[in-house]
Amino acid sequence: MTAQMLDGRALAGRIEASLRGEVDTFAGMFRRKPRLVVVLVGDVAASASYVKSKAAAAARLGMDSAVIPVAATATTADLVALVGSIARDEHGHADGILVQLPLPPHVDQVAVLDAVPPDRDVDGFHPENAGLLSQGRPRFIPCTAAGVQRMLIDAAIPTAGRHVVIVGRSDIVGKPLALLLAQRPPPGCPADGAGGCDATVTICHSRSGDLGRFTREADILVAAVGKPGLITAPMVRPGAAVIDVGINRVDGRLVGDVDAGPVAEVAGWLSPVPGGVGPMTVAMLMANTLLAAELRLGRG
Ligand code: GUN
C-alpha cells in the first residue's frame, strides 16, 4: 500500500481563499481590519519562523498583525503586564492576542497565558476556552487540533465509531484533539460519519509503556510528541490514517514524529512534514482571529 498524502498546504490555501472574502466583508462593514498581536519572547529560531508565517498569512488575508519582540530576560510579571497592556489596546486594537511558546524556563507560562483575555485568546489555551471545548460548546479551538480535524473532514476520513489513538497529551494538541474528535456531532457536522467527531479516543503518553500495543489498534493515528522517528511502520495498522503533528529539525531538515518513508508503505493516508499539519495550524489561527474580531464587534 502507498499512502495517499494529506496535502495540508493545498487545503490551507483553500481555507485562506474563503477567509479572504470574509475578511473583506468584515473590513467593508466595520471600516477596519481584524488584527492579531503576537508576543515573541527571546530569540528561538523556530519560534521566530512560526511567527513570521503567521504574520505573512495575516497579510495575505488582508488582516493587520503586529509582532512585539521581548528580551529572553523578561520576567513573568513583565509578560503579564505586557499582555495586559495589549488587552487595553495600548499597542493598537488587538482582536486576537497570541503569546508564542515555548517561553523561557524561568517564566511561569500558565500565568502569562491566563493573562490573555478569553475573548481574544485565538490560541484557545485559556481555561475558559478549554472548558467550553470540554463541554462540547467550543469557542476558540486550539489551532493545531482544529487543523487536524479539518484535514480528516476534508479527506472524508470517517471518524464516527473509529478508534483514534493520539500519542501526546499536551494542552496544545493531544488533549483538545481528543475532546474534539470524541465530541457529539456539533451543529453542521455531517451525519455520514465523516464529520471529525463521534470517535473513540485513546491518549498515549510517556508512561504508556509499549506504544505499539495501542498504535496498532488505531484507525487514525496522531503523533504529537516531538520525537523524530517515534512512529515506525510496524506500529501502524495497514490502511490507517497517520497524522504527523511533529516538527523536528534533524541535520538541518524538517521531519515529523513518523518514519515517513516506511510508514507510507503501510498507511492508507499520511500527512507529510513539512506541508501537512503546519500550514493548517496557521490557517486555523487566521479563522480564530477573524472569529475574535467578529465576536468583539457583535457579529459572531
Ligand atoms: N508553539 C508551538 N505551537 C504553538 C501554538 O499553537 N501556539 C503558540 N502560541 N505557540 C506555539
Side-chain angles (χ1 to χ4, degrees):
M1 175 166 307
T2 302
Q4 245 176 279
M5 284 297 142
L6 295 167
D7 187 344
R9 197 169 279 139
L11 176 55
R14 280 184 270 130
I15 292 167
E16 279 193 14
S18 85
L19 286 174
R20 209 172 296 130
E22 293 178 48
V23 170
D24 280 350
T25 305
F26 178 95
M29 197 170 272
F30 296 106
R31 303 265 159 250
R32 73 165 180 83
K33 301 171 174 181
R35 179 170 153 93
L36 172 67
V37 176
V38 177
V39 176
L40 175 61
V41 184
D43 53 8
V44 177
S47 293
S49 150
Y50 298 146
V51 165
K52 212 168 143 190
S53 314
K54 291 168 184 178
R60 281 196 300 275
L61 295 188
M63 294 191 195
D64 275 339
S65 72
V67 177
I68 302 184
V70 183
T73 49
T75 63
T76 302
D78 293 336
L79 292 170
V80 167
L82 174 62
V83 170
S85 73
I86 297 168
R88 288 191 301 276
D89 287 344
E90 290 168 20
H91 301 256
H93 71 83
D95 298 301
I97 301 173
L98 180 150
V99 179
Q100 185 66 29
L101 303 177
L103 294 175
H106 65 272
V107 172
D108 178 348
Q109 180 171 299
V110 171
V112 175
L113 293 180
D114 282 1
V116 175
D119 59 346
R120 307 200 203 182
D121 169 37
V122 286
D123 257 330
F125 295 164
H126 190 281
E128 185 174 311
N129 288 315
L132 287 169
L133 174 60
S134 85
Q135 291 185 349
R137 46 189 187 130
R139 177 171 50 191
F140 298 115
I141 300 171
C143 304
T144 302
V148 170
Q149 183 195 41
R150 192 72 172 262
M151 282 177 108
L152 294 171
I153 293 171
D154 182 73
I157 296 169
T159 52
R162 304 302 165 104
H163 188 188
V164 176
V165 175
I166 300 171
V167 186
R169 57 179 157 183
S170 69
D171 292 336
I172 297 182
V173 185
K175 276 192 258 176
L177 183 60
L179 289 167
L180 204 51
L181 296 181
Q183 75 184 339
R184 291 179 192 279
C189 178
D192 61 5
C197 54
D198 275 337
T200 302
V201 180
T202 299
I203 301 182
C204 296
H205 48 74
S206 50
R207 300 299 296 272
S208 294
D210 176 13
L211 272 185
R213 180 159 75 90
F214 302 100
T215 60
R216 276 186 288 275
E217 296 294 319
D219 299 305
I220 297 166
L221 173 58
V222 181
V225 177
K227 278 199 180 156
L230 176 71
I231 305 297
T232 59
M235 296 168 76
V236 175
R237 177 166 161 168
V242 179
I243 310 294
D244 193 350
V245 178
I247 303 180
N248 311 290
R249 197 167 284 278
V250 176
D251 300 330
R253 254 175 2 106
L254 280 189
V255 297
D257 290 350
V258 174
D259 189 13
V263 166
E265 297 304 313
V266 179
W269 292 268
L270 175 61
S271 73
V273 177
V277 174
M280 290 299 296
T281 298
V282 177
M284 294 297 109
L285 174 64
M286 297 301 113
N288 276 352
T289 303
L290 175 60
L291 174 63
E294 290 174 342
L295 289 172
R296 209 159 161 223
L297 295 177
R299 288 183 66 229

